[in-house]
Amino acid sequence: MDTKLHVGRPNLGDRDSFLRRVNEALDSRWLTNNGPFTREFENAISDMIGVRHVVAMCNATVALEIASRALGFTGEVIVPSYTFVATAHALQWQGITPVFADIDPLTHNIDPKRIEELITPRTTGILGVHVWGRPCDTEAIESIARRHNLPVMYDAAHAFACSHEGRMIGAFGSCEIFSFHGTKFINSFEGGAVTTDNDELAEKMRLMRNFGFSGFDNVIHLGVNGKMNEICAAMGLTNLEAIEEIVSVNRRNYESYRSGLEGLPGISLIAYDPSQRNNYQYVVIEIEPDQSRHNRDEVIAALHEKDVIARKYFWPGCHRMEPYRASQPEAWRNLPETERIAARLIVLPTGQSVDEKAIGWICKLIADLVR
Ligand code: T4K
């Protein structure tokens, strides 16, 4: 058994409830293709977010690809480089060029002020990412989009059960995409979903995730296999039932880190807006290189040596990963904040498998490294 303290250790709901559902799926011999657990999962999310349509998918990357196509993205789409590489890959996989915009260093989200200067006649959309579950500046982004008649989509892989201005994430833009990967706040092993209030868009995505089938033998659209299976939906439903418990564990852990790291030279912990709903899925610190005895990479290496598998998300930024590094070798010139943040950031382990004692010990390790 791996006893290391990993970022991304899955949160688990009630095991018996999950196994009961698995047995039910096996007994009913309905394993996939829009089965009853998948529909129940979609309905539960739709009620929670207050959005008309939830289209569950096999993972968020395929959901991003399907949603991009359904929205008619082609040519160029403006996107942050400071994100998990799946956001950019989902575009490039379809021959769409991700045009990387810099981030706001305070929020780590796409900086609306950098969007307009990147719009060209080839631009067909804007793809924002709610990094760490902290919402993008949706008002500014959507007002630019309206001015240029561009659709906006959000990668909300980190932002399940978070809100912005009193409205749940999932209800912004033309559509939003969630991930239910094993490492995410609520997981379905692998899984994703698109949320939208647009009936036509939802219908198109339902066709696209099932080869374009509309009833037996009737293919009316180009499609792929983007379906969620029943075991994944059973896991998603089970974990949804544990949502309050998982938030409260994450919140407790976040507060423990906050008090353990308080006053350490060069260390700042990112904040969440207490007036909004947050999932506290990510505990993220920034290290100010001039103030800390060891730099970020040295701190990470020392933590790994002690079996604390902290991560450098999203270093070095998509623009420094292939194929973008080769196809857009000058992109870094426009991305100073992305480069600066990516070089100073550490994500620390949290979730159900991390307790307050472990956090006290991790904070002590960090204190010894930075002082
Ligand atoms: N957009 C954004 C903004 C995203 O962050 C992601 C995914 C996506 C889109 C795409 O969503 P999906 O298509 O995956 O639904 C991990 C996840 O694989 C990835 O889903 C996630 N973002 C990303 C932030 O983290 P890696 O490359 O760091 O994975 P890996 O294998 O290093 O695992 C992370 C850590 O979690 C390891 O230290 C081990 C631990 N772990 C992982 C799994 C799967 C466990 O302890 N148990 C497990 O079962 O990408």
Side-chain angles (χ1 to χ4, degrees), residues 262-280:
E262 203 162 15
L264 292 185
I267 297 284
S268 53
L269 174 67
I270 68 157
Y272 293 99
D273 179 350
S275 71
Q276 297 300 318
R277 285 185 62 172
N278 297 294
N279 59 31
Y280 296 92

Side-chain angles (χ1 to χ4, degrees), residues 308-328:
V308 177
I309 313 301
R311 299 293 298 260
K312 307 185 205 177
Y313 293 140
F314 294 104
W315 190 81
C318 295
H319 66 290
R320 289 197 182 268
M321 296 176 171
E322 294 298 356
Y324 317 106
R325 183 167 53 196
S327 62
Q328 304 187 37

Side-chain angles (χ1 to χ4, degrees), residues 248-323:
S248 82
V249 166
N250 282 351
R251 173 121 203 217
R252 177 205 68 197
N253 287 352
Y254 176 84
E255 296 300 342
S256 300
Y257 274 114
R258 184 152 72 175
S259 57
L261 297 170
E262 203 162 15
L264 292 185
I267 297 284
S268 53
L269 174 67
I270 68 157
Y272 293 99
D273 179 350
S275 71
Q276 297 300 318
R277 285 185 62 172
N278 297 294
N279 59 31
Y280 296 92
Q281 182 190 342
Y282 291 100
V283 173
V284 182
I285 57 172
E286 287 179 46
I287 300 197
E288 185 59 62
D290 303 340
Q291 289 173 31
S292 159
R293 190 161 61 86
H294 287 284
N295 68 28
R296 189 275 304 270
D297 288 357
E298 290 164 345
V299 172
I300 289 254
L303 290 174
H304 282 207
E305 228 163 76
K306 300 283 185 190
D307 286 348
V308 177
I309 313 301
R311 299 293 298 260
K312 307 185 205 177
Y313 293 140
F314 294 104
W315 190 81
C318 295
H319 66 290
R320 289 197 182 268
M321 296 176 171
E322 294 298 356

Side-chain angles (χ1 to χ4, degrees), residues 37-308:
F37 286 139
T38 300
R39 293 195 304 271
E40 193 183 337
F41 188 49
E42 291 178 338
N43 291 338
I45 295 169
S46 161
D47 289 347
M48 189 188 112
I49 291 173
V51 72
R52 280 167 70 80
H53 302 283
V54 176
V55 186
M57 307 250 185
C58 53
N59 60 56
T61 307
V62 168
L64 282 162
E65 289 167 5
I66 289 179
S68 307
R69 261 181 193 266
L71 278 177
F73 285 1
T74 56
E76 296 174 357
V77 167
I78 297 170
V79 64
S81 170
Y82 191 72
T83 178
F84 189 61
V85 73
T87 320
H89 277 357
L91 298 169
Q92 187 70 50
W93 192 253
Q94 303 171 84
I96 302 166
T97 304
V99 174
F100 297 119
D102 209 1
I103 52 169
D104 176 338
L106 293 179
T107 64
H108 303 173
N109 285 327
I110 191 166
D111 184 345
K113 292 196 289 300
R114 302 276 77 83
I115 292 177
E116 208 143 18
E117 65 205 29
L118 298 172
I119 295 177
T120 73
R122 281 171 53 76
T123 308
T124 57
I126 301 169
L127 170 46
V129 183
H130 306 300
V131 176
W132 319 130
R134 298 193 300 181
C136 290
D137 184 347
T138 56
E139 296 77 8
I141 293 171
E142 287 167 33
S143 117
I144 295 166
R146 267 194 303 278
R147 264 204 311 282
H148 294 270
N149 200 21
L150 295 170
V152 179
M153 165 166 126
Y154 294 104
D155 177 337
H158 299 181
F160 191 64
C162 299
S163 71
H164 176 47
E165 305 289 348
R167 216 167 122 204
M168 294 302 286
I169 299 286
F172 290 87
S174 295
C175 64
E176 303 210 54
I177 285 81
F178 291 106
S179 170
F180 303 112
H181 180 259
T183 56
K184 292 289 180 276
F185 165 63
I186 292 297
N187 84 82
S188 62
F189 297 105
E190 292 272 2
V194 186
T195 54
T196 182
D197 277 324
N198 182 323
D199 299 350
E200 209 179 307
L201 187 66
E203 188 46 37
K204 208 190 260 188
M205 291 188 294
R206 287 201 178 98
L207 287 170
M208 285 174 150
R209 78 170 169 187
N210 186 29
F211 317 102
F213 271 104
S214 170
F216 288 154
D217 311 322
N218 188 26
V219 174
I220 60 168
H221 208 286
L222 176 64
V224 289
N225 184 351
K227 290 168 277 135
M228 176 175 270
N229 69 59
E230 287 292 277
I231 303 304
C232 288
M235 183 68 159
L237 278 168
T238 305
N239 290 335
L240 259 188
E241 284 164 1
I243 197 164
E244 294 309 327
E245 181 210 319
I246 299 170
V247 178
S248 82
V249 166
N250 282 351
R251 173 121 203 217
R252 177 205 68 197
N253 287 352
Y254 176 84
E255 296 300 342
S256 300
Y257 274 114
R258 184 152 72 175
S259 57
L261 297 170
E262 203 162 15
L264 292 185
I267 297 284
S268 53
L269 174 67
I270 68 157
Y272 293 99
D273 179 350
S275 71
Q276 297 300 318
R277 285 185 62 172
N278 297 294
N279 59 31
Y280 296 92
Q281 182 190 342
Y282 291 100
V283 173
V284 182
I285 57 172
E286 287 179 46
I287 300 197
E288 185 59 62
D290 303 340
Q291 289 173 31
S292 159
R293 190 161 61 86
H294 287 284
N295 68 28
R296 189 275 304 270
D297 288 357
E298 290 164 345
V299 172
I300 289 254
L303 290 174
H304 282 207
E305 228 163 76
K306 300 283 185 190
D307 286 348
V308 177

